[in-house]
Amino acid sequence: MKKKMAVTGFGFMGAVHAKNILENERLELCAIVDNRDSIFEGIEKTGNHGELGLPIDRLKKVPVYKTLEECVSKEQPDAVSICVPLFLHYELTRKALNLGLDVLLEKPFCPAVEQCDELINLAEEKGRILMVAHCVRFFPAWQFLSECIRDKRYGELKLLTASRMGGEPAWGVWLDDKIKKTCGGALLDLLIHDIDFAISCFGKPEDVELNLNVAEYWEFELKYKTTPARISIKGGFLHRHTAFASEYIATFDKGSVRYSSLQPEFIYAGTDAGSETIEVKGDGYANELDYFAGCIEARKPPIKCLPEESLTAISVCNQIKESKHNSC
Ligand SMILES: NC(=O)c1ccc[n+]([C@@H]2O[C@H](COP(=O)([O-])OP(=O)(O)OC[C@H]3O[C@@H](n4cnc5c(N)ncnc54)[C@H](O)[C@@H]3O)[C@@H](O)[C@H]2O)c1
């Protein structure tokens, strides 16, 4: 039987999750929860992915509630995807776990590590599955990179530079100056994706070195004893409406690979023997959701994306911020 899943927060990411739930054969989209009145207004063009290609007619048939409590009492969902602004992550996840739901929470986890810790313990106590939606782990281009690092098909990794930049979000809650201040800036909102990817490959870094920070632009290195590779991450927010791109260049002993989301269909690789073009297939958000669906079906912890690692990503961001303060 399909698991009943609700989406709380029907903005950019909520709409993406709702669409993917509708298209997932293990899940049923049983409700949408949002505290706004006209939730479909402008939804198709929200976010930084262009048109979202939403099945609007099907979405409009889904029951809509203003609060999670009301949704739970009427629909009895098994799980909820929480896609609200960061300042509500702790409160709503806590509520959902206490209501007995499995939770897929949009990244970043919570602003404070103590809050993350408390939610991890609460999920365990309630026997619920909690996963933070660190989607990059499920994006095919990054999965390819992760495999190259692991199976050493191009030799040992020497250098990884990951970059992520684009206009400051110009949709939803980001247009409210008061809420925008609580969204964590480019470090927590954007660069945490690459920090989390590094954590998925190498674990928690021993140290961080901040090389440059100008307003919402950051360049830093994650220092590891577990790998001889240098891991450099850079990026941030540009002026609103500037094209978004996430990119990587990885250099190994015997070859290099590079990818840019501006050309999402291909990864380019080069060795002394010649060049290679690798086709990128699949949707990372759909993969992520399907993985979560598998975990709640099998009652297994999300080992590919554990909340403990999502907590680590928060603590690395905090370390980077602290190193900024210490260098001032
Ligand atoms: N994984 C990714 O690639 C990615 C991309 C963008 C945003 N995000 C994350 O997704 C989350 C949401 O960001 P967004 O860009 O979708 O924001 P958004 O502003 O587009 O959507 C947020 C929605 O939450 C609703 N909301 C606010 N308070 C609520 C409440 N108490 N109950 C129910 N609904 C409520 C708002 O009405 C709005 O519709 C954030 O945590 C953000 O970091 C992830």
Side-chain angles (χ1 to χ4, degrees):
M1 213 167 64
K2 287 187 176 193
K3 292 277 180 191
K4 290 172 79 175
M5 189 158 178
V7 167
T8 292
F10 189 71
F12 170 36
M13 279 323 290
V16 171
H17 284 229
K19 171 180 182 249
N20 288 330
I21 295 170
L22 275 181
E23 289 171 358
N24 189 291
E25 55 190 28
R26 308 196 234 207
L27 301 171
E28 176 199 331
L29 180 64
C30 66
I32 293 171
V33 182
D34 199 294
N35 60 356
R36 282 181 301 145
D37 287 326
S38 318
I39 60 164
F40 289 100
E41 207 178 290
I43 194 69
E44 185 54 53
K45 288 200 170 122
T46 190
N48 57 358
H49 290 192
E51 296 267 329
L52 293 177
L54 300 172
I56 292 289
D57 289 346
R58 289 179 70 199
L59 287 168
K60 283 191 171 166
K61 289 186 186 135
V62 176
V64 179
Y65 299 96
K66 284 258 161 75
T67 67
L68 190 57
E69 289 89 337
E70 204 190 340
C71 159
V72 169
S73 81
K74 297 265 170 58
E75 308 293 338
Q76 287 103 38
D78 300 294
V80 64
S81 156
I82 298 184
C83 304
V84 294
L86 176 61
F87 80 97
L88 291 169
H89 281 198
Y90 167 73
E91 180 189 321
L92 273 179
T93 305
R94 190 161 168 265
K95 187 175 284 176
L97 291 170
N98 278 322
L99 286 165
L101 306 183
D102 293 321
V103 176
L104 178 63
L105 168 66
E106 255 310 326
K107 49 55 61 180
F109 199 162
C110 291
V113 288
E114 296 75 17
Q115 295 171 322
C116 304
D117 221 14
E118 188 190 319
L119 294 177
I120 291 170
N121 291 333
L122 183 61
E124 200 176 309
E125 188 190 306
K126 300 276 174 193
R128 296 294 101 198
I129 286 161
L130 170 63
M131 176 172 137
V132 180
H134 270 294
C135 55
V136 168
R137 293 182 184 224
F138 300 90
F139 279 16
W142 272 265
Q143 287 178 323
F144 173 81
L145 173 60
S146 174
E147 284 160 22
C148 292
I149 293 170
R150 230 181 10 252
D151 67 21
K152 303 190 195 322
R153 74 189 72 170
Y154 297 108
E156 198 74 52
L157 179 71
K158 296 282 177 208
L159 168 69
L160 168 62
T161 60
S163 128
R164 192 170 295 270
M165 284 177 237
E168 180 187 285
W171 66 84
V173 295
W174 287 88
L175 300 174
D176 178 324
D177 274 345
K178 239 168 91 190
I179 299 183
K180 186 176 111 175
K181 286 196 186 109
T182 67
C183 287
L187 199 55
L188 269 153
D189 188 68
L190 206 59
L191 298 171
I192 197 164
H193 281 296
D194 301 291
I195 294 169
D196 177 70
F197 177 76
I199 291 167
S200 77
C201 295
F202 310 110
K204 185 176 183 179
E206 251 75 45
D207 203 0
V208 296
E209 189 176 302
L210 178 62
N211 298 320
L212 181 64
N213 170 230
V214 180
E216 284 290 10
Y217 178 86
W218 301 79
E219 286 188 14
F220 50 88
E221 200 179 324
L222 303 184
K223 304 276 191 177
Y224 281 99
K225 285 195 182 127
T226 49
T227 171
R230 307 283 297 264
I231 313 294
S232 159
I233 295 174
K234 63 181 178 181
F237 291 147
L238 308 171
H239 280 288
R240 279 185 175 170
H241 307 292
T242 309
F244 170 78
S246 59
E247 305 178 315
Y248 63 71
I249 298 173
T251 293
F252 300 80
D253 285 328
K254 293 182 283 186
S256 301
V257 294
R258 68 185 310 175
Y259 171 78
S260 168
S261 64
L262 289 172
Q263 234 186 332
E265 304 89 2
F266 300 108
I267 296 162
Y268 297 95
T271 65
D272 289 344
S275 65
E276 218 184 322
T277 304
I278 297 117
E279 209 179 328
V280 179
K281 287 192 203 129
D283 177 323
Y285 294 113
N287 293 345
E288 171 188 76
L289 188 79
D290 191 54
Y291 177 70
F292 177 75
C295 293
I296 65 172
E297 213 174 57
R299 307 310 304 159
K300 291 215 168 113
I303 47 168
K304 278 194 189 170
C305 191
L306 287 168
E308 288 81 358
E309 294 175 314
S310 310
L311 177 155
T312 300
I314 296 288
S315 75
V316 171
C317 288
N318 289 344
Q319 222 181 319
I320 295 166
K321 277 196 234 157
E322 272 163 32
S323 67
K324 176 187 166 174
H325 289 250
N326 296 342
S327 64
C328 290

Coordinates of all heavy atoms in Angstrom, one line a residue, residues 149-203:
I149 N 35.5 9.2 -6.9 CA 36.3 9.3 -5.7 C 36.5 8.0 -5.0 O 37.6 7.6 -4.6 CB 35.7 10.4 -4.7 CG1 35.8 11.8 -5.3 CG2 36.5 10.4 -3.4 CD1 35.0 12.8 -4.6
R150 N 35.4 7.2 -4.9 CA 35.4 5.9 -4.2 C 36.1 4.8 -5.0 O 37.0 4.2 -4.4 CB 34.0 5.5 -3.9 CG 33.7 5.1 -2.5 CD 32.3 4.6 -2.2 NE 31.4 4.4 -3.3 CZ 30.4 5.1 -3.6 NH1 30.1 6.2 -2.9 NH2 29.6 4.8 -4.6
D151 N 35.8 4.7 -6.3 CA 36.4 3.5 -7.0 C 37.7 3.9 -7.7 O 38.4 3.0 -8.3 CB 35.4 2.9 -8.0 CG 35.1 3.9 -9.1 OD1 35.8 4.8 -9.4 OD2 34.0 3.7 -9.8
K152 N 38.2 5.2 -7.6 CA 39.5 5.6 -8.1 C 39.7 5.3 -9.5 O 40.8 4.9 -9.9 CB 40.6 5.0 -7.2 CG 40.5 5.3 -5.7 CD 41.8 4.9 -5.0 CE 41.7 4.9 -3.5 NZ 41.0 5.8 -2.7
R153 N 38.6 5.4 -10.3 CA 38.8 5.0 -11.8 C 39.8 6.0 -12.5 O 40.4 5.6 -13.5 CB 37.4 5.0 -12.5 CG 36.8 6.3 -12.7 CD 35.4 6.2 -13.2 NE 34.5 5.7 -12.1 CZ 33.2 5.7 -12.3 NH1 32.6 6.0 -13.4 NH2 32.4 5.3 -11.3
Y154 N 39.9 7.2 -11.9 CA 40.9 8.1 -12.5 C 42.1 8.3 -11.5 O 42.8 9.3 -11.6 CB 40.3 9.5 -12.7 CG 39.1 9.5 -13.7 CD1 37.8 9.7 -13.3 CD2 39.4 9.3 -15.1 CE1 36.8 9.6 -14.3 CE2 38.4 9.3 -16.0 CZ 37.1 9.5 -15.6 OH 36.1 9.5 -16.5
G155 N 42.2 7.4 -10.6 CA 43.3 7.4 -9.6 C 42.8 8.2 -8.3 O 41.6 8.4 -8.1
E156 N 43.8 8.5 -7.5 CA 43.5 9.2 -6.2 C 43.1 10.7 -6.5 O 43.7 11.3 -7.3 CB 44.8 9.1 -5.4 CG 44.6 9.4 -3.9 CD 44.0 8.2 -3.2 OE1 44.5 7.1 -3.3 OE2 43.0 8.5 -2.5
L157 N 42.0 11.1 -5.7 CA 41.6 12.5 -5.9 C 42.7 13.4 -5.3 O 43.3 13.2 -4.2 CB 40.3 12.8 -5.1 CG 39.8 14.2 -5.1 CD1 39.3 14.6 -6.5 CD2 38.7 14.4 -4.1
K158 N 43.1 14.5 -6.1 CA 44.1 15.5 -5.7 C 43.4 16.8 -5.2 O 43.9 17.4 -4.3 CB 45.1 15.8 -6.8 CG 45.9 14.6 -7.3 CD 47.0 14.4 -6.3 CE 47.8 13.2 -6.7 NZ 48.4 12.6 -5.5
L159 N 42.5 17.2 -6.0 CA 41.9 18.5 -5.8 C 40.4 18.5 -6.2 O 40.1 18.0 -7.3 CB 42.6 19.6 -6.6 CG 42.0 21.0 -6.7 CD1 42.0 21.7 -5.4 CD2 42.7 21.8 -7.8
L160 N 39.5 19.0 -5.3 CA 38.1 19.2 -5.7 C 37.8 20.7 -5.5 O 38.0 21.2 -4.3 CB 37.2 18.3 -4.8 CG 35.7 18.6 -4.9 CD1 35.2 18.4 -6.3 CD2 34.9 17.8 -3.9
T161 N 37.4 21.4 -6.5 CA 36.9 22.7 -6.3 C 35.4 22.7 -6.7 O 35.0 22.3 -7.8 CB 37.6 23.8 -7.1 OG1 37.5 23.5 -8.5 CG2 39.1 23.9 -6.8
A162 N 34.6 23.1 -5.7 CA 33.1 23.1 -6.0 C 32.7 24.6 -5.8 O 33.1 25.3 -5.0 CB 32.4 22.3 -4.9
S163 N 31.8 25.0 -6.8 CA 31.4 26.4 -6.7 C 29.9 26.4 -6.9 O 29.3 25.6 -7.7 CB 32.1 27.1 -7.8 OG 31.3 27.8 -8.6
R164 N 29.2 27.3 -6.2 CA 27.8 27.4 -6.3 C 27.4 28.9 -6.1 O 27.7 29.5 -5.1 CB 27.2 26.6 -5.1 CG 25.7 26.4 -5.1 CD 25.3 25.4 -4.0 NE 25.9 24.1 -4.3 CZ 25.3 23.1 -5.0 NH1 24.1 23.3 -5.5 NH2 25.9 22.0 -5.3
M165 N 26.9 29.5 -7.2 CA 26.6 30.9 -7.1 C 25.3 31.2 -7.9 O 25.0 30.6 -8.9 CB 27.7 31.7 -7.8 CG 28.9 31.9 -7.1 SD 30.1 32.8 -8.0 CE 31.5 31.6 -8.0
G166 N 24.6 32.3 -7.5 CA 23.5 32.7 -8.3 C 22.9 33.9 -7.6 O 23.3 34.2 -6.4
G167 N 21.9 34.5 -8.2 CA 21.2 35.7 -7.6 C 20.6 35.3 -6.3 O 20.1 34.2 -6.1
E168 N 20.6 36.2 -5.3 CA 19.9 36.0 -4.1 C 18.5 35.6 -4.4 O 17.9 36.2 -5.3 CB 20.0 37.3 -3.3 CG 19.3 37.1 -1.9 CD 19.2 38.5 -1.2 OE1 20.2 39.0 -0.7 OE2 18.1 39.1 -1.2
P169 N 17.9 34.6 -3.7 CA 16.6 34.2 -4.0 C 15.6 35.4 -4.1 O 15.6 36.3 -3.3 CB 16.2 33.3 -2.9 CG 17.5 32.7 -2.4 CD 18.5 33.8 -2.6
A170 N 14.8 35.4 -5.2 CA 13.9 36.5 -5.4 C 12.5 36.0 -5.4 O 11.7 36.2 -6.4 CB 14.3 37.2 -6.7
W171 N 12.2 35.1 -4.5 CA 10.8 34.5 -4.4 C 10.4 34.3 -3.0 O 11.3 34.3 -2.1 CB 10.8 33.2 -5.2 CG 11.6 32.1 -4.6 CD1 11.2 31.2 -3.6 CD2 12.9 31.7 -5.0 NE1 12.2 30.4 -3.4 CE2 13.3 30.6 -4.2 CE3 13.9 32.2 -5.9 CZ2 14.6 30.0 -4.3 CZ3 15.1 31.6 -6.0 CH2 15.4 30.5 -5.2
G172 N 9.2 34.0 -2.8 CA 8.7 33.6 -1.5 C 9.1 34.4 -0.3 O 9.2 35.6 -0.3
V173 N 9.5 33.6 0.8 CA 9.9 34.3 2.0 C 11.1 35.2 1.9 O 11.3 36.0 2.8 CB 10.1 33.2 3.1 CG1 8.8 32.5 3.4 CG2 11.2 32.3 2.8
W174 N 11.9 35.0 0.9 CA 13.1 35.8 0.7 C 12.8 37.3 0.4 O 13.6 38.1 0.5 CB 14.0 35.2 -0.4 CG 14.7 34.0 0.0 CD1 14.2 32.7 -0.1 CD2 16.0 33.9 0.6 NE1 15.1 31.8 0.4 CE2 16.2 32.5 0.9 CE3 17.0 34.8 1.0 CZ2 17.4 32.0 1.4 CZ3 18.1 34.3 1.6 CH2 18.3 32.9 1.8
L175 N 11.5 37.5 0.0 CA 11.1 38.9 -0.3 C 10.7 39.6 1.0 O 10.5 40.8 0.9 CB 10.0 38.9 -1.3 CG 10.3 38.2 -2.7 CD1 9.1 38.1 -3.6 CD2 11.5 38.9 -3.3
D176 N 10.6 38.9 2.1 CA 10.3 39.5 3.4 C 11.6 39.8 4.1 O 12.3 38.8 4.5 CB 9.4 38.6 4.1 CG 9.0 39.1 5.5 OD1 9.8 39.7 6.2 OD2 7.9 38.8 5.9
D177 N 12.0 41.0 4.3 CA 13.3 41.4 4.8 C 13.5 40.7 6.2 O 14.6 40.3 6.5 CB 13.5 42.9 4.9 CG 14.0 43.4 3.6 OD1 14.5 42.6 2.8 OD2 13.9 44.6 3.4
K178 N 12.4 40.7 7.0 CA 12.6 40.2 8.4 C 12.9 38.7 8.3 O 13.8 38.2 9.0 CB 11.3 40.4 9.2 CG 11.6 41.2 10.4 CD 10.3 41.7 11.0 CE 9.8 40.7 12.1 NZ 8.5 41.0 12.6
I179 N 12.2 37.9 7.5 CA 12.4 36.5 7.4 C 13.7 36.2 6.7 O 14.5 35.3 7.1 CB 11.2 35.8 6.6 CG1 9.9 36.0 7.4 CG2 11.5 34.3 6.5 CD1 8.7 35.3 6.7
K180 N 14.1 37.0 5.7 CA 15.3 36.8 4.9 C 16.5 36.8 5.9 O 17.4 35.9 5.8 CB 15.5 38.0 3.9 CG 16.7 37.8 3.0 CD 16.8 38.9 2.0 CE 17.9 39.8 2.3 NZ 18.1 40.8 1.3
K181 N 16.5 37.6 6.9 CA 17.6 37.7 7.9 C 17.7 36.4 8.7 O 18.8 36.1 9.3 CB 17.4 38.8 8.9 CG 17.6 40.2 8.3 CD 17.8 41.2 9.4 CE 17.9 42.6 8.8 NZ 16.7 43.5 9.0
T182 N 16.7 35.5 8.7 CA 16.7 34.3 9.4 C 17.1 33.1 8.6 O 17.1 31.9 9.0 CB 15.3 34.0 10.1 OG1 14.4 33.7 9.1 CG2 14.8 35.2 10.9
C183 N 17.3 33.3 7.3 CA 17.5 32.2 6.3 C 18.9 31.6 6.3 O 19.2 30.7 5.6 CB 17.0 32.6 4.9 SG 15.2 32.7 4.8
G184 N 19.8 32.3 7.0 CA 21.2 31.7 7.2 C 22.2 32.2 6.2 O 23.3 31.8 6.2
G185 N 21.7 33.1 5.2 CA 22.7 33.7 4.3 C 23.2 32.6 3.3 O 22.7 31.4 3.4
A186 N 24.1 33.0 2.5 CA 24.6 32.1 1.4 C 25.3 30.8 2.0 O 25.3 29.8 1.4 CB 25.6 32.8 0.5
L187 N 25.9 31.0 3.1 CA 26.7 29.8 3.7 C 25.7 28.7 4.1 O 25.9 27.5 3.6 CB 27.4 30.3 5.0 CG 28.6 29.5 5.5 CD1 29.6 29.2 4.4 CD2 29.2 30.2 6.7
L188 N 24.7 29.0 4.8 CA 23.7 28.0 5.3 C 22.7 27.6 4.2 O 22.2 26.5 4.2 CB 23.0 28.4 6.5 CG 23.6 28.1 7.8 CD1 23.3 29.1 8.9 CD2 23.2 26.7 8.3
D189 N 22.4 28.5 3.4 CA 21.4 28.3 2.4 C 21.9 27.6 1.1 O 21.3 26.7 0.5 CB 20.7 29.5 2.0 CG 19.4 29.2 1.1 OD1 18.5 28.6 1.6 OD2 19.5 29.5 -0.1
L190 N 23.2 28.0 0.7 CA 23.7 27.6 -0.6 C 24.9 26.7 -0.5 O 24.9 25.5 -0.9 CB 24.0 28.8 -1.3 CG 24.0 28.8 -2.8 CD1 22.7 28.5 -3.4 CD2 24.4 30.2 -3.4
L191 N 25.9 27.2 0.2 CA 27.2 26.5 0.2 C 27.2 25.2 1.1 O 28.0 24.3 1.0 CB 28.4 27.4 0.6 CG 28.5 28.6 -0.4 CD1 29.4 29.6 0.2 CD2 29.0 28.1 -1.7
I192 N 26.2 25.1 1.9 CA 26.0 23.9 2.8 C 25.8 22.7 1.9 O 26.2 21.6 2.3 CB 24.8 24.1 3.8 CG1 25.0 23.0 4.9 CG2 23.5 24.0 3.1 CD1 24.1 23.3 6.1
H193 N 25.3 22.9 0.6 CA 25.2 21.8 -0.3 C 26.5 21.1 -0.5 O 26.7 19.9 -0.5 CB 24.6 22.2 -1.6 CG 23.1 22.5 -1.6 ND1 22.2 21.5 -1.4 CD2 22.4 23.6 -1.8 CE1 21.0 22.0 -1.5 NE2 21.1 23.2 -1.7
D194 N 27.6 21.9 -0.8 CA 28.9 21.4 -1.1 C 29.6 20.9 0.1 O 30.3 19.9 0.0 CB 29.7 22.5 -1.9 CG 29.0 22.9 -3.1 OD1 28.9 22.1 -4.1 OD2 28.4 24.0 -3.2
I195 N 29.4 21.6 1.2 CA 29.9 21.1 2.5 C 29.4 19.7 2.8 O 30.1 18.8 3.1 CB 29.6 22.1 3.6 CG1 30.3 23.5 3.4 CG2 29.9 21.5 5.0 CD1 29.8 24.6 4.3
D196 N 28.1 19.6 2.6 CA 27.4 18.3 2.9 C 28.0 17.2 1.9 O 28.2 16.1 2.3 CB 25.9 18.4 2.8 CG 25.3 17.0 3.0 OD1 25.3 16.5 4.1 OD2 24.8 16.4 2.0
F197 N 28.2 17.6 0.7 CA 28.7 16.6 -0.3 C 30.1 16.1 0.2 O 30.4 14.9 0.2 CB 28.8 17.2 -1.7 CG 29.4 16.2 -2.7 CD1 28.7 15.2 -3.2 CD2 30.8 16.3 -3.1 CE1 29.2 14.2 -4.0 CE2 31.3 15.4 -3.9 CZ 30.6 14.3 -4.4
A198 N 30.9 17.1 0.6 CA 32.3 16.7 1.1 C 32.1 15.8 2.3 O 32.9 14.8 2.4 CB 33.1 18.0 1.5
I199 N 31.2 16.1 3.2 CA 31.0 15.2 4.4 C 30.6 13.8 3.9 O 31.0 12.8 4.5 CB 29.9 15.9 5.3 CG1 30.5 17.1 6.0 CG2 29.5 14.9 6.4 CD1 29.5 18.0 6.7
S200 N 29.7 13.8 2.9 CA 29.3 12.4 2.4 C 30.5 11.6 1.9 O 30.5 10.4 1.9 CB 28.2 12.6 1.4 OG 28.7 12.9 0.1
C201 N 31.5 12.3 1.3 CA 32.6 11.6 0.8 C 33.7 11.3 1.8 O 34.4 10.3 1.8 CB 33.3 12.4 -0.4 SG 32.2 12.6 -1.8
F202 N 34.0 12.3 2.7 CA 35.2 12.2 3.5 C 34.9 12.3 5.0 O 35.8 12.3 5.8 CB 36.2 13.4 3.2 CG 36.4 13.4 1.7 CD1 36.0 14.5 1.0 CD2 37.1 12.4 1.1 CE1 36.2 14.6 -0.4 CE2 37.4 12.5 -0.3 CZ 36.9 13.6 -1.0
G203 N 33.6 12.5 5.4 CA 33.3 12.7 6.8 C 33.5 14.1 7.3 O 33.6 15.1 6.5

